[in-house]
Amino acid sequence: MRAESTPMAELPSPWTLWYRQPAAEWTDALPLGNGRLGAMVFGGVPVERLALNEDTLWSGGPRAWNNPRARELLPEVRRLIFAGDYAAADALCQQMQGPYTQSYLPLGDLVLTFERGGAVSGYHRALDLDAALAHVRYKVEGTVFEREMFVSAPDQAVVLRVWCNRPGQIGFDVALTSPLHHTVHAGATLEMTGKCPQHVEPSYRPVEPAIVYAGEPDGEGMTFAVCVDVAADGGEVFPEQGRLRVRGADSAVLILTAATSYNGFDRSPGREGRDPLPAAREQLRAARGQSYAALRRAHCADHRRLFRRVELVFGEQMQPDAPTDERLDHYPAAGDAQLEALLFHYGRYLLIASSRPGTQPANLQGIWNEDVRPPWSSNYTLNINTQMNYWPAEVIDLPECHEPLFDLVEGLSVCGRETARVNYGAGGWVAHHNTDLWRQTAPVGDNSGDPVWANWPMGGVWLCQHLWEHYLFSGDSAFLRERAWPLMKGAAQFCLDWLVEDGAGHLLTAPSVSPELPFVAPSGQRAAVSAGATMDLALIRELFTGCIEAADALGVDAEFAARLAAARARLLPYAVGARGQLQEWAHDWDEVEPQHRHVSHLWGLFPGRQITPDATPALAAAARRSLVLRGDRGSSWSLAWKIALWARLHEGERAHTLVRHMFRRVRSHEVTIAEPGGVYTNLFSAHPPFQIDGNLGYTAAIAEMLLQSHAGELHLLPALPGAWSSGWVRGLRARGGFGVAMAWEDGRLVRARVESRLGGPCRVRCDVPLRVLHGGAEVSTRRDAYGVIEFSTGAGAVYELLPV
């Protein structure tokens, strides 16, 4: 493959992150990804580092995690709960736990060490979200050096091009390294092979040894391979001292491929895995048979096919004239609506880059991680974080990117069926607070974890909402029948067996927790488990409702749907506490931490559809009171959830107050701070540390401020703040199979377009009266007492909505 000598001359998108200096820390670097391979680009001048990841590179393998003793202890735990001995119930719940999950691991680094030294000027580092290209440009003594990098989904490769404006000036060494056990061989290509630990303890556990490798070569542990090819235009490329060296070139192109021994969640990667080296070599062979221009063209077309489905502009679209880090620094004093829009688009970019059909779903850090013991194992946390990663998928028209989550649910249903049987003597399937590549479904904690997060068996119930939502947005009856319905039904079967009588005619869950937030028991003690936490019942109510509607849509399982309807009618209802708040537990207890980051009891407001200002005004008012009491601060993902909640209450100004909190700049050294939340220099969301859920949740929340469809109608601009008084959006999707575009000025809609992909009735709510046109002709509408208009649509037809 020849490296073309033409420079990179393409105007960047206005949706670009850029900086005047290289990355000093990992959270300054710029992320690239194709769903499977990830790279963090540092943009160094003497040394360029690309920190690499592969989405199946995890520690461990399939193992026993179920706990038969849990089934034996369950009746006593329930007796203690109903007797009010919560401390004893907490202690006993720990004995129902299984091992901790395994960890997502770093693949290693691609390191380029450049020959040319001297004073640097004109430095520019950028990430173009529209093209998914990273750029580095600088001058050394009048010579302009440029690099361009991308991670291709069509060709499954990391591609890097180095160019300068003077012939023969390119010289650098190429090396591979990894924090895992590995060896490197340099020949015609550079190859690194290695092996992962058979076990890694979570970073928060003071256990030694924390990282354990198998003692024998064929023992447990994922194996991996990385291959690099370098093609130079002019000059020479040769191996020396375990690296490839480029000397005297006009330009050069590097292609990197990688593979692991992963062969399924139920197979040992050490004993039953595939050989990763032939797979990586074959990917490299296919990619280097193409020109750089062809690789780049295929990559950009593939990315833009997804990224360009949605456009959003607040005010006027302008090229950013200040670097991203400076914009963050100026934001508290001056605001920056386009920066707020940029973070929305960044979330779309990150979802595309971290979740594609056939890949693993995005984990706590998407696909980007540099630590062997990453925060919270960089696993899948199912009590909010994994689900939040996928909140935007349907509304921003990326249903393909949702598919890895559906694959995860299918794997969990297999393992979770055995966990339900062994741990609880229940039917159906269950998942708890954490899972990993191996689809662990038992509660983690290793008999010492706090039950307030470990003993929460509602992970699968929540995940099923994503299956039902995909159907509501797409109308795909084949998906509903073949994939969603069996999974939803299995989760509902578990719930029917898990529910218990409260002695007063209601059904509730026990043991039950409000995730990660303990309560103050009547004794004054801190307690975790009780009966009937509000979130549990909201999740079950939503699942039962979805199953009832699904069974009706498919014309199946009428008897099972009737059982669900009868049980749903007996679920312990919502309650309002003495402070006017929506109760978080069955009793009106105080929170141990009143301004805790989780707002689990408000699930029925968002992402659920049980509480709305119109249909349930008293509950909506109680939810609002709960939000006020919880406060406006929190980790970035907590802020994203609260923005969406305020949007559902149609309070755009309050939602925008929390939007502003998202833009507090967090420095890389801040790990735990008194004031949580914000974003790092590269706009990664901060817990801290980095978690990607805040980025993706923010994108979903902004969409929720502009369009809502959960209440059976398209609500246009339901929570528009004054800071976005003018703007336009195109490409949002709504339940019922509708696509929506809108423009507004002075805070009022000036025009909208609705595309009906499925046909059928369309209901629209807006704060201005609307008339509907199709092909220039007026369409007959019906208007209800709330001002909502309804009109009939045809599949594939487009309708114009204009103020009367």
Side-chain angles (χ1 to χ4, degrees), residues 201-257:
E201 285 285 341
S203 60
Y204 49 83
R205 294 199 82 202
V207 176
E208 292 296 339
I211 301 170
V212 180
Y213 284 89
E216 61 281 357
D218 60 347
E220 190 58 285
M222 193 82 72
T223 59
F224 61 90
V226 182
C227 299
V228 179
D229 177 74
V230 182
D233 184 15
E236 58 179 337
V237 180
F238 56 92
E240 187 174 300
Q241 297 180 340
R243 60 190 62 197
L244 294 179
R245 291 188 162 169
V246 179
R247 295 294 184 269
D250 302 332
S251 64
V253 172
L254 288 77
I255 299 176
L256 179 149
T257 58

Side-chain angles (χ1 to χ4, degrees), residues 617-798:
L619 293 179
R624 186 187 192 282
R625 178 62 177 157
S626 291
L627 274 176
V628 171
L629 292 170
R630 210 60 132 212
D632 289 347
R633 297 294 178 178
S635 58
S636 290
W637 66 259
S638 179
L639 291 174
W641 195 355
K642 291 174 183 176
I643 294 167
L645 288 163
W646 282 113
R648 283 280 174 96
L649 293 171
H650 307 157
E651 297 198 32
E653 296 305 327
R654 194 62 183 266
H656 190 259
T657 297
L658 275 72
V659 167
R660 289 187 58 84
H661 292 332
M662 287 287 295
F663 289 88
R664 192 186 73 82
R665 185 178 177 188
V666 179
R667 308 295 175 172
S668 297
H669 65 273
E670 297 180 66
V671 178
T672 54
I673 51 177
E675 184 181 8
V679 293
Y680 292 101
T681 300
N682 67 356
L683 298 189
F684 270 175
S685 64
H687 182 79
F690 162 57
Q691 289 183 191
I692 202 170
D693 42 23
N695 290 105
L696 302 173
Y698 173 87
T699 296
I702 299 307
E704 202 69 25
M705 294 172 72
L706 302 175
L707 174 67
Q708 295 176 15
S709 62
H710 61 287
E713 61 194 29
L714 311 186
H715 194 167
L716 309 183
L717 306 179
L720 187 70
W724 307 338
S725 60
S726 64
W728 57 276
V729 66
R730 177 191 64 80
L732 297 182
R733 295 173 69 229
R735 296 163 185 85
F738 297 105
V740 177
M742 296 178 283
W744 62 92
E745 296 175 3
D746 298 322
R748 294 172 68 81
L749 185 81
V750 294
R751 62 184 177 277
R753 185 182 66 191
V754 174
E755 176 192 1
S756 178
R757 301 181 182 183
L758 303 175
C762 179
R763 290 170 50 82
V764 179
R765 178 190 293 262
C766 187
D767 63 356
V768 297
L770 298 172
R771 61 193 181 100
V772 181
L773 303 174
H774 174 52
E778 194 92 14
V779 174
S780 174
T781 63
R782 297 168 294 283
R783 189 178 308 273
D784 68 15
Y786 298 98
V788 177
I789 63 170
E790 181 176 333
F791 56 98
S792 299
T793 71
V798 177

Side-chain angles (χ1 to χ4, degrees), residues 77-332:
V77 168
R78 286 174 169 165
R79 187 194 69 77
L80 290 168
I81 288 171
F82 285 110
D85 193 347
Y86 303 111
D90 283 356
L92 210 55
C93 276
Q94 290 185 316
Q95 299 180 40
M96 301 172 73
Q97 297 168 1
Y100 285 92
T101 66
Q102 291 299 327
S103 296
Y104 181 57
L105 301 174
L107 180 60
D109 290 345
L110 174 67
V111 180
L112 277 61
T113 304
F114 290 88
E115 276 192 315
R116 185 68 179 266
V120 174
S121 62
Y123 183 91
H124 185 274
R125 174 172 62 102
L127 173 63
D128 182 341
L129 302 184
D130 176 67
L133 298 170
H135 299 271
V136 176
R137 183 180 68 248
Y138 56 89
K139 291 183 181 179
V140 176
E141 298 174 351
T143 301
V144 178
F145 292 88
E146 291 193 34
R147 297 174 220 146
E148 183 175 77
M149 292 143 279
F150 58 89
V151 181
S152 169
D155 291 291
Q156 288 298 304
V158 179
V159 184
L160 187 156
R161 182 172 182 265
V162 182
W163 171 87
C164 79
N165 65 342
R166 293 181 178 177
Q169 297 297 303
I170 300 290
F172 58 90
D173 292 353
V174 183
L176 286 170
T177 186
S178 175
L180 308 175
H181 288 183
H182 70 282
T183 59
V184 177
H185 172 74
T189 59
L190 191 64
E191 295 184 343
M192 177 172 70
T193 55
K195 192 174 182 71
C196 296
Q198 66 179 10
H199 178 71
V200 173
E201 285 285 341
S203 60
Y204 49 83
R205 294 199 82 202
V207 176
E208 292 296 339
I211 301 170
V212 180
Y213 284 89
E216 61 281 357
D218 60 347
E220 190 58 285
M222 193 82 72
T223 59
F224 61 90
V226 182
C227 299
V228 179
D229 177 74
V230 182
D233 184 15
E236 58 179 337
V237 180
F238 56 92
E240 187 174 300
Q241 297 180 340
R243 60 190 62 197
L244 294 179
R245 291 188 162 169
V246 179
R247 295 294 184 269
D250 302 332
S251 64
V253 172
L254 288 77
I255 299 176
L256 179 149
T257 58
T260 76
S261 62
Y262 180 70
N263 198 24
F265 68 84
D266 55 351
R267 295 184 180 181
S268 162
R271 295 181 295 274
E272 302 172 279
R274 63 173 190 161
D275 187 346
L277 186 56
R281 284 173 172 169
E282 175 56 27
Q283 290 167 351
L284 185 65
R285 184 201 62 77
R288 71 182 178 183
Q290 305 176 61
S291 69
Y292 177 80
L295 291 169
R296 186 183 191 274
R297 187 165 52 247
H299 159 73
C300 289
D302 172 76
H303 174 76
R304 285 170 170 159
R305 174 181 59 85
L306 301 172
F307 189 80
R308 289 186 173 178
R309 289 177 183 174
V310 171
E311 295 181 78
L312 170 65
V313 174
F314 297 140
E316 296 182 7
Q317 188 171 19
M318 297 176 293
Q319 197 74 22
D321 57 0
T324 304
D325 50 345
E326 293 181 18
R327 294 173 73 184
L328 280 174
D329 290 339
H330 297 156
Y331 181 89

